[in-house]
Amino acid sequence: MIAASDLAVVAIAWGASYWLSFHSGLFPTRTANSEPYAVLAVAMLALWHLVLRQRGLYEPRRGRSALTESRVLVECAALSTLGVAAATFFWKRADVSRAFLIGFFLLSASGLCAFRGVLRAVLREVRRRGFNMRRVLIIGSGTLAGAVWERLRDHPESGFQVVGFVGPLRFGSWPEVPAVL
């Protein structure tokens, strides 16, 4: 579902860049033949899917920061846009505007970062309400184990629910989490 949503955002960015470049009147450009842009759109979506998957953006990573994810998304946008630009260099029928490619890069990168930010906020709220949780068992019983437990307890939006500890309880009594020996 996230992959399809990402590709929808990228396709919208492609269409918006085309409209801005050739039909909005904001930029003094010549009229473009839409056929190469339509053909490239199909190849571009396949390329995007491969790049996003290869960069691990469809792997579950609850601990990844929003900044790290945004950086990877911008890198994916740069790689994919350069891939499209390279394809147009070798495909002589495709005379693609540089302004279009710059607009596409900016719109796709910002669109994906915004979409993923909204998705992150929704998931944070869902997890805060106790849904979509991963149960974890903390191995150890020292000060570090206690600090990990407190951090996870204080941040339910992370999506981790501590179900217990493995080892003797030496760091105090925390009645809401059982010890598993």
Side-chain angles (χ1 to χ4, degrees):
M1 178 168 150
I2 294 175
S5 299
D6 284 345
L7 292 180
V9 169
V10 170
I12 290 168
W14 186 269
S17 181
Y18 184 83
W19 181 83
L20 284 170
S21 297
F22 303 111
H23 298 292
S24 69
L26 295 175
F27 304 102
T29 59
R30 58 178 169 43
T31 304
N33 178 6
S34 62
E35 179 189 346
Y37 289 89
V39 172
L40 280 172
V42 174
M44 175 272 311
L45 288 173
L47 175 64
W48 263 95
H49 181 70
L50 291 173
V51 169
L52 290 170
R53 184 163 300 287
Q54 188 274 333
R55 291 304 310 263
L57 287 166
Y58 299 129
E59 308 278 326
R61 304 233 173 143
R62 289 174 188 251
R64 181 186 295 182
S65 73
L67 185 61
T68 300
E69 186 176 57
S70 294
R71 182 185 52 78
V72 172
L73 287 168
V74 170
E75 289 172 5
C76 290
L79 284 171
S80 298
T81 303
L82 287 173
V84 170
T88 62
F89 178 77
F90 293 109
W91 186 31
K92 298 300 180 195
R93 286 185 31 207
D95 183 21
V96 175
S97 162
R98 288 181 296 249
F100 165 82
L101 288 173
I102 292 168
F104 172 66
F105 166 73
L106 294 173
L107 290 171
S108 60
S110 59
L112 281 175
C113 289
F115 167 71
R116 291 291 185 109
V118 168
L119 182 63
R120 185 179 287 272
V122 168
L123 284 174
R124 186 174 29 248
E125 185 58 32
V126 165
R127 290 173 181 152
R128 189 173 285 134
R129 294 177 186 216
F131 298 100
N132 192 26
M133 301 294 282
R134 297 278 173 127
R135 291 178 199 81
V136 296
L137 189 63
I138 296 177
I139 299 174
S141 59
T143 307
L144 181 59
V148 169
W149 176 76
E150 288 173 351
R151 185 156 176 103
L152 293 176
R153 179 198 62 196
D154 294 343
H155 296 283
E157 69 275 5
S158 68
F160 295 110
Q161 177 186 16
V162 177
V163 295
F165 294 86
V166 174
L169 290 176
R170 289 181 287 178
F171 46 80
S173 103
W174 293 330
E176 58 194 89
V177 180
V180 178
L181 301 175

